Amino acid sequence: PFRTALMAFLLGGGAEYFRDSMEQLRENYPVPAFYGAMNFLSTHDTPRLLTLLGCEQPPADRDARSHYRLSPAERERGTALLKLAALVLYAFPGSPTVYYGDEAGMDGFEDPFNRRTYPWGAEDREILAFYRRLCEVRADSETLIRGELRFDTGENDALLRYERTLGRSRIIILVNRSRQEVRTGVNALYALDLLTQREFDCEDSSGIEITVPAETAYLLRCFGSAE
């Protein structure tokens, strides 16, 4: 359910669908099961994440799919959306589960084209570095591991927005899957993007106004609240 809902959002669906799907899971799962769920984005039974998000027109012929490789433009967009998917995976309740090679930028359609040999020494360094950073951020954050979850969607269907809180710690996740920038407000005096260390300051008492670039996500540790 996690993968299905997230892929639907990234491929053009609304943020509310993802929210409603996850809230339905939360209603039906005991708390330990929800926070220990094996969340994944691709497996040996599904197309590779990069292929699913990047390929604009999958070939209908199986032989063509076996030899298909993403074009540079498809790979560029697939990489951007893959990063969004991976960020949600690591910033969501549950156990992030990565199918070998997704973190190296492997592509491929259905079995057996999704089971090629791991590209030792030829990994996509950009994607690999992004996954490593996500691992570091999550391992260093009890808030992302066991914090409460609260969704805040509705202002823009292309912007997935939710919050993780634990005690006084608050992390807001902003995921813009559209090809246009999105502006949104954050109730905080100061925010730090944990992935890039970019800082956002409050300019007045109404909070922080943030522009999320196209196909970009922020993982914001927030401090204080506006009046």
Side-chain angles (χ1 to χ4, degrees):
F2 174 84
R3 174 186 179 274
T4 299
L6 185 54
M7 291 303 101
F9 166 68
L10 293 174
L11 292 172
E16 289 189 1
Y17 173 74
F18 179 79
R19 178 201 66 190
D20 293 346
S21 298
M22 295 303 97
E23 292 292 25
Q24 185 177 26
L25 275 185
R26 180 152 58 167
E27 290 174 1
N28 289 284
Y29 282 18
V31 172
F34 185 73
Y35 277 81
M38 179 180 169
N39 295 331
F40 58 81
L41 299 172
S42 58
T43 72
H44 61 279
D45 289 324
T46 69
R48 283 280 178 184
L49 178 62
L50 187 60
T51 297
L52 183 66
L53 295 174
C55 183
E56 297 181 356
Q57 180 110 28
D61 180 75
R62 180 177 170 83
D63 184 62
R65 291 197 300 275
S66 72
H67 296 93
Y68 190 88
R69 290 295 183 272
L70 297 173
S71 69
E74 287 178 322
R75 189 171 183 89
E76 181 179 2
R77 181 152 198 266
T79 297
L81 295 179
L82 178 147
K83 288 181 177 180
L84 303 188
L87 184 142
V88 175
L89 177 70
Y90 277 84
F92 205 77
S95 300
T97 304
V98 179
Y99 180 49
Y100 88 96
D102 278 356
E103 79 284 10
M106 289 180 66
D107 59 4
F109 286 99
E110 75 277 9
D111 181 14
F113 316 128
N114 56 4
R115 301 195 191 201
R116 294 187 177 96
T117 304
Y118 185 88
W120 296 109
E123 297 94 337
D124 185 307
R125 297 297 177 182
E126 176 187 350
I127 295 177
L128 191 59
F130 188 77
Y131 269 87
R132 283 176 170 161
R133 180 59 184 152
L134 288 174
C135 288
E136 292 169 355
V137 170
R138 183 177 172 97
D140 195 42
S141 175
E142 284 295 312
T143 306
L144 293 180
I145 295 172
R146 59 188 183 91
E148 292 292 325
L149 167 71
R150 184 179 70 85
F151 285 99
D152 183 12
T153 58
E155 61 182 84
N156 189 312
D157 216 25
L159 181 69
L160 175 62
R161 174 176 176 151
Y162 62 96
E163 186 171 320
R164 304 294 307 279
T165 58
L166 184 66
R168 300 179 60 125
S169 174
R170 182 164 60 110
I171 296 175
I172 293 179
I173 295 89
L174 302 175
V175 183
N176 176 17
R177 61 111 174 104
S178 74
R179 300 192 190 208
Q180 298 179 337
E181 66 179 31
V182 172
R183 290 181 64 83
T184 189
V186 170
N187 183 14
L189 299 178
Y190 170 79
L192 175 70
D193 179 30
L194 296 176
L195 294 178
T196 64
Q197 301 302 301
R198 180 179 176 183
E199 298 176 288
F200 299 88
D201 290 303
C202 177
E203 296 183 357
D204 55 47
S205 60
S206 63
I208 304 173
E209 191 73 18
I210 292 179
T211 299
V212 186
E215 297 176 344
T216 297
Y218 287 143
L219 194 59
L220 301 175
R221 181 177 294 282
C222 298
F223 300 87
S225 60
E227 297 178 356

